[in-house]
Amino acid sequence: MYTAEQIRGVAPSVCMANPTCQPKKRTGLGLSTKGLLLLTSLRVQIQKANLKMKHQSSIANDVIHRCAQKLGVSVEKLVEEFEAGWKQEIGDYSRKLLEFCCSKALTVECPYIQEKIIDGSFSRLTFDMMLAWEMPTSQDEESHMEQVGKGREDRKLPANVPEEQDDIPLFYTDLMPLLVNEEPSIGEDAFVWLGSLVPLVVDVVNGRFVFETLTAPTGHRLFFPGYKKFLQEIDKCIKHLQKHAKPKGVELADDEFILHVEGTASSQRVVRHVGGTSWPGRLTLTNYAVYFEAMGVITYDDALKIDLSENISHTVKPAATGPWGAPLFDKAIIYESPEFSEGIVLEFPEMTSSTRRDHWLALIKEVMLMHQFLSSYNVECPIQAWEMHARTISGIIRLHAARELLRISPPSPTKFLIFALFDELPKGDYVLEQLAESLKTGNSGHPCSACSILRTMNMSQSVLPGVEVEAVGKECTSASGQDDIPSSLESAINQVREEAKEVEIAKATTEVLKEEGIGESATVLMELLKPLKNVVPWFQDVISWRRPATTLTMIVASLVIMYKVWVGKAIAAGLLWLVLKMILARYGRSQDKCNEVVVCSGSNQKTTMESIVAAQFGLKNVHEMMQLANISILKIQSLVHAKARKMETNWKMFVSKFLRHYWTDLHVVLMFFARSVLSSSITLIHILGSMSFASIKISCRCLQQADMVMAAMTVLAIILAVVPLKYMLIAITLHSIIMTSKLGRHFGNAQGNRRLKEWWDSIPIVPIHVVEDASQCPS
């Protein structure tokens, strides 16, 4: 607990001159009654402040005292100012008072934030603020000390460390785990709360994802050495970006700033692939575009500009490159846009992984998505747009700083980037909607806003003059809804985060299947398709009249549905039946089957030679199927272009045979209706063959096989236009059922299938000419 001197925030020398600090001498000063009353009321206010402050924790008292010193006022004056706007129903007096004092003090500190980061005072002050926010009351402090003591006792117990971990060298680790001490650490909520006050350390939108990634090596707790080093790395990154030279041959805009550069003498190579040639050079990313400068003999050539701010359908995605354009190494990106005739391929060579490629891909997508966000939500105010630019730039700078702390295991870039993160997460668009609303109600001119902090750290200059900023700010900002929007934004973030965890758990279950080979995947697929082996034989039995009762039931039901046009109701009944089966499966024993699927991949039944022969036979079947598909396509193409040979036919024979086979081939006519629905030229020819048209020679020698197909399609079109569809479906169903029965097999005629095969074999294909020289290929 602090004395009256400390509570008032004045020096002891000043307190000695203050009559309120010397109550024993006030009677000898000859004060008037009015002066005594004033002195008494002042003493009562100090006692009230002491009474309220005694519930604060020691760290909270210290932070409030330091905030009062930064502001140059007494603590009781801060308390009075806070109580003037505080309401009893809000509750949590201690934490709200601390938040108020910290917000006021940071407003004074932010204009000198770069100097404070260098001397370490800003790191110490903000870290203590987060500690005080976690335990604002004395009860919170006592419970925290109990947890710390219990943790120390647990560390004294011998740890069960596996023997294989004893030989791990201590130097083979990131810098972050080494920045741990015995001082108190902070958690996630306090870190995000500080981001709501100072967006340099973290942005409130993706703050929880940043904290989770940054503190993964330290047990999801942030210690002061690591926090201080993180701020110092941010300052170093800002100074490093300011030293880079501008791309050659271009003029950057006033609000365009360099965010990342590679391909220089002090960094790794960047190669652009154009066809079979490769051009190393320097790649520069800004908040508006990407610039590539091909390396010349002495200096760089003029930069190629890839504009990322235009509202066009441009994309950037991973790509594989290699020597002479061979896709061997998955370490490149390709940018495609209507402005370029072909995609721009940029490779980031590495020995092992594709970390550099993923890093650049995330940064480029972040800039593209930021401009899409500003365009989609109609952010037309320049102050609001520049605030979003500043928050995006800060996120990229934090990513650079985190990569310096976590060199061995680089963090996921999207965790530090706002738009790239919520573009991947489920329901991330909800967070972006709330972000757009909060952006419209924010105050970009605040000393602790993102654009103000970057301007203070010499990262940027004001886009508009001071008078214009003030004028535009009055039009663009509004004080209404500032308390509601952050709460709705926070609820949207929490919802997205919970759903993201569920999606990650679900994706983790699929990783095992992705790591399997082709043989194992085929085995798993055959095991999963086993239930269909019971369905197919049952359906064949029904069609073949081996189950007469079931077959008749299906016939009657099908005919009634088609005649009454109850297709929608039939589908609805089928869906309800599936729902019933799912409910029965949930409460039945079939639920245990979903816990694990056992797939037997043993080769006990076949020897190695038998397996090789079976694989060769399967490959041969696949080859034959491909050949058959090619021949069928070429024959159909021959029919379309009327390249088939002519058939000499006799018209009288056609009429006589048609009348003779009409009544005996009634089922063939029904088959004509059934197969016409498929609109296939081959099936139409089959119908014509079934009706004995293929065996008839027409006297018109000029008719070709293509003409027969066109004639059949014309007849089919007339029938479809005249006969109602439901009657055709009924006829097709009856024909299909009758033909599979004994009666249908008795009256069946296999001559049509034979004629069809003969007719199909007589169709010549379009000639194929294989050209090995690419220059001779048609365009």
Side-chain angles (χ1 to χ4, degrees), residues 521-570:
S521 298
T523 304
V524 173
L525 179 61
M526 295 303 297
E527 183 68 25
L528 296 177
L529 293 179
K530 273 187 177 181
L532 296 180
K533 294 182 178 180
N534 299 328
V535 177
V536 174
W538 178 86
F539 188 75
Q540 290 177 349
D541 293 343
V542 173
I543 296 298
S544 303
W545 291 84
R546 296 186 185 131
R547 300 170 180 260
T550 308
T551 305
L552 290 175
T553 304
M554 289 186 61
I555 293 174
V556 173
S558 302
L559 295 178
V560 171
I561 290 172
M562 286 184 288
Y563 183 76
K564 295 290 187 180
V565 195
W566 287 351
V567 179
K569 296 180 181 179

Side-chain angles (χ1 to χ4, degrees), residues 130-290:
M130 290 185 284
L131 287 176
W133 188 88
E134 278 197 334
M135 38 185 179
T137 62
S138 56
Q139 292 84 358
D140 297 332
E141 188 175 16
E142 292 176 0
S143 61
H144 177 74
M145 295 304 295
E146 291 178 359
Q147 293 178 1
V148 172
K150 184 179 179 181
R152 290 177 179 175
E153 291 294 333
D154 294 340
R155 284 196 294 267
K156 293 180 181 180
L157 299 176
N160 296 325
V161 182
E163 296 181 359
E164 60 270 11
Q165 296 184 6
D166 293 341
D167 298 332
I168 297 178
L170 295 178
F171 61 84
Y172 189 74
T173 182
D174 291 316
L175 181 61
M176 198 66 183
L178 302 179
L179 301 177
V180 176
N181 56 11
E182 293 295 331
E183 294 183 10
S185 58
I186 61 171
E188 180 181 293
D189 294 334
F191 189 69
V192 176
W193 166 75
L194 181 65
S196 64
L197 301 180
V198 186
L200 175 65
V201 181
V202 67
D203 198 290
V204 68
V205 179
N206 64 338
R208 300 187 181 276
F209 300 92
V210 171
F211 184 86
E212 182 180 356
T213 306
L214 192 63
T215 60
T218 58
H220 298 290
R221 299 292 297 181
L222 183 60
F223 294 83
F224 177 70
Y227 174 72
K228 181 179 179 182
K229 185 66 176 177
F230 183 56
L231 283 177
Q232 292 175 351
E233 290 295 337
I234 290 176
D235 183 58
K236 289 181 181 179
C237 290
I238 293 177
K239 294 179 179 178
H240 177 71
L241 293 175
Q242 293 173 353
K243 297 178 182 178
H244 284 297
K246 296 181 180 179
K248 184 180 178 181
V250 296
E251 189 68 26
L252 299 182
D254 295 335
D255 57 342
E256 188 173 4
F257 305 98
I258 296 175
L259 304 179
H260 194 33
V261 177
E262 277 192 354
T264 59
S266 59
S267 61
Q268 293 178 295
R269 291 191 310 141
V270 178
V271 181
R272 181 190 175 191
H273 293 275
V274 182
T277 59
S278 301
W279 300 92
R282 180 172 62 183
L283 190 64
T284 304
L285 173 69
T286 68
N287 55 327
Y288 279 95
V290 175

Side-chain angles (χ1 to χ4, degrees), residues 35-85:
L36 289 174
L37 292 176
L38 182 62
L39 188 62
T40 303
S41 63
L42 182 61
R43 184 177 178 84
V44 170
Q45 292 178 0
I46 295 175
Q47 290 177 353
K48 288 182 179 180
N50 285 328
L51 183 61
K52 293 177 179 178
M53 294 292 293
K54 72 178 182 179
H55 298 291
Q56 303 286 122
S57 62
S58 59
I59 184 65
N61 279 328
D62 180 63
V63 169
I64 293 175
H65 171 67
R66 289 157 65 184
C67 292
Q69 287 182 337
K70 297 289 183 183
L71 296 171
V73 297
S74 61
V75 175
E76 58 268 18
K77 187 173 182 181
L78 276 178
V79 174
E80 290 178 3
E81 187 178 356
F82 166 72
E83 290 182 346

Side-chain angles (χ1 to χ4, degrees), residues 389-688:
H389 275 261
R391 294 173 71 170
T392 304
I393 294 172
S394 301
I396 295 176
I397 293 173
R398 284 191 292 268
L399 175 58
H400 293 326
R403 287 172 62 88
E404 293 297 325
L405 293 178
L406 304 172
R407 284 180 174 268
I408 302 299
S409 56
S412 175
T414 56
K415 300 294 184 181
F416 292 82
L417 306 176
I418 298 175
F419 301 103
L421 174 65
F422 290 102
D423 183 63
E424 296 180 355
L425 295 181
K427 296 184 179 179
D429 54 331
Y430 292 170
V431 177
L432 297 181
E433 291 178 4
Q434 298 299 328
L435 176 61
E437 293 296 329
S438 63
L439 187 65
K440 296 177 182 179
T441 58
N443 185 7
S444 301
H446 193 273
C448 292
S449 62
C451 59
S452 300
I453 291 176
L454 291 183
R455 185 166 55 249
T456 302
M457 302 185 73
N458 299 323
M459 181 66 186
S460 66
Q461 301 296 328
S462 181
V463 182
L464 301 174
V467 178
E468 188 175 352
V469 168
E470 183 178 358
V472 175
K474 291 180 180 179
E475 298 177 0
C476 297
T477 59
S478 174
S480 61
Q482 290 184 2
D483 295 335
D484 298 335
I485 294 299
S487 60
S488 59
L489 177 62
E490 184 178 1
S491 61
I493 294 172
N494 293 333
Q495 179 184 1
V496 168
R497 192 183 181 196
E498 293 298 326
E499 294 196 10
K501 291 180 180 179
E502 296 178 359
V503 172
E504 288 179 359
I505 294 174
K507 286 184 178 180
T509 59
T510 63
E511 294 298 327
V512 179
L513 290 177
K514 292 181 180 180
E515 295 176 358
E516 295 177 350
I518 298 178
E520 294 179 352
S521 298
T523 304
V524 173
L525 179 61
M526 295 303 297
E527 183 68 25
L528 296 177
L529 293 179
K530 273 187 177 181
L532 296 180
K533 294 182 178 180
N534 299 328
V535 177
V536 174
W538 178 86
F539 188 75
Q540 290 177 349
D541 293 343
V542 173
I543 296 298
S544 303
W545 291 84
R546 296 186 185 131
R547 300 170 180 260
T550 308
T551 305
L552 290 175
T553 304
M554 289 186 61
I555 293 174
V556 173
S558 302
L559 295 178
V560 171
I561 290 172
M562 286 184 288
Y563 183 76
K564 295 290 187 180
V565 195
W566 287 351
V567 179
K569 296 180 181 179
I571 295 175
L575 294 176
L576 292 176
W577 178 77
L578 289 176
V579 171
L580 179 61
K581 295 289 289 184
M582 293 174 64
I583 294 175
L584 295 177
R586 177 178 299 179
Y587 295 100
R589 295 182 179 179
S590 59
Q591 185 178 5
D592 299 334
K593 299 180 181 179
C594 298
N595 296 332
E596 186 178 6
V597 178
V598 180
V599 179
C600 180
S601 61
S603 58
N604 297 330
Q605 299 178 356
K606 292 183 179 181
T607 62
T608 304
M609 184 59 66
E610 291 176 348
S611 300
I612 295 175
V613 172
Q616 184 180 5
F617 183 74
L619 184 61
K620 181 181 178 181
N621 291 337
V622 173
H623 185 210
E624 291 178 354
M625 292 175 62
M626 294 174 61
Q627 289 180 338
L628 181 61
N630 292 335
I631 292 173
S632 301
I633 294 173
L634 290 172
K635 287 194 175 187
I636 293 175
Q637 192 174 14
S638 178
L639 289 175
V640 172
H641 295 285
K643 296 295 183 180
R645 65 179 179 86
K646 298 180 180 180
M647 292 184 60
E648 296 181 358
T649 54
N650 191 308
W651 177 256
K652 295 182 179 180
M653 188 178 297
F654 165 75
V655 176
S656 63
K657 288 198 173 184
F658 177 78
L659 294 175
R660 184 174 56 189
H661 290 283
Y662 177 78
W663 298 106
T664 58
D665 291 347
L666 179 61
H667 63 280
V668 180
V669 178
L670 296 176
M671 178 62 72
F672 173 79
F673 293 133
R675 299 188 179 182
S676 63
V677 180
L678 301 177
S679 302
S680 173
S681 302
I682 301 175
T683 53
L684 291 174
I685 299 168
H686 184 190
I687 296 161
L688 294 172

